[in-house]
Amino acid sequence: MSNYTEEVGNKLNALLEKTYDAEKGFKKAAENVDHAGLKNYFNQKAQQRYDFGHALKSEIKSFGEEVDKGGSVTGAAHRTWMDVKAFLSLDNEESMLEESIRGEKAAIDEYEDVLAETTLPVSTKNVLNAQKQHIVEGLTNIQRMEDIK
């Protein structure tokens, strides 16, 4: 596994941390909406990120790297901001959709940053490309929901 560098391990662990943050953020969004369809959607996205996390952990471990655990301070702050917006907003659904769109766009950028790494093993590229594609599809769905609201 000579093409797996410590830098790649660090980038994947950073992506894993943000995946944990996204999972928690989607759970928080589900808590902050009353609309059953949106609640279900956000819970599905939280489960998806949970699954992404396990795939990333497996990939990191398969190359003998240590897996970081937990979420980031930035992610915790974002979830707190979601709570504040929900509390102050007259339209929780709209606020949670906006925050989800912002988060999904940031996730796509993060995946693209890691995928730009030239020393990624093929298996890692495959995992990341598949996850990124799911996020892109999810972003399209969220944007459609926002248009309907």
Side-chain angles (χ1 to χ4, degrees):
M1 317 305 163
S2 61
N3 62 343
Y4 197 93
T5 65
E6 185 177 336
E7 181 180 353
V8 170
N10 290 339
K11 284 185 175 188
L12 287 177
N13 269 304
L15 191 60
L16 178 60
E17 185 175 277
K18 290 179 177 154
T19 299
Y20 291 144
D21 288 340
E23 177 190 353
K24 292 172 190 170
F26 280 119
K27 285 180 181 178
K28 183 60 69 178
E31 292 171 12
N32 285 322
V33 296
D34 294 323
H35 188 276
L38 282 178
K39 188 176 287 290
N40 183 48
Y41 179 79
F42 288 138
N43 282 323
Q44 287 176 355
K45 294 300 287 182
Q47 181 62 49
Q48 179 187 62
R49 288 313 205 288
Y50 175 84
D51 295 342
F52 284 5
H54 278 284
L56 287 171
K57 284 192 279 189
S58 293
E59 191 65 22
I60 292 166
K61 287 178 183 177
S62 73
F63 291 98
E65 293 293 314
E66 289 293 317
V67 174
D68 292 341
K69 303 208 188 276
S72 69
V73 172
T74 305
H78 185 249
R79 287 186 299 280
T80 300
W81 173 240
M82 289 173 77
D83 280 340
V84 169
K85 278 188 88 166
F87 179 73
L88 297 175
S89 176
L90 296 174
D91 188 354
N92 287 353
E93 283 80 9
E94 183 70 23
S95 295
M96 294 305 105
L97 283 170
E98 288 171 6
E99 289 304 312
S100 295
I101 289 169
R102 193 169 68 84
E104 292 294 76
K105 286 179 178 178
I108 291 167
D109 290 344
E110 291 155 2
Y111 272 82
E112 288 174 352
D113 178 54
V114 177
L115 283 163
E117 178 64 48
T118 58
T119 60
L120 282 178
V122 172
S123 64
T124 304
K125 281 184 183 181
N126 291 340
V127 167
L128 296 179
N129 276 317
Q131 290 182 357
K132 180 184 147 202
Q133 185 57 39
H134 284 296
I135 294 168
V136 168
E137 290 166 6
L139 178 60
T140 300
N141 290 337
I142 290 172
Q143 288 171 326
R144 272 194 227 123
M145 284 185 223
E146 187 181 45
D147 290 342
I148 292 170
K149 287 291 296 161

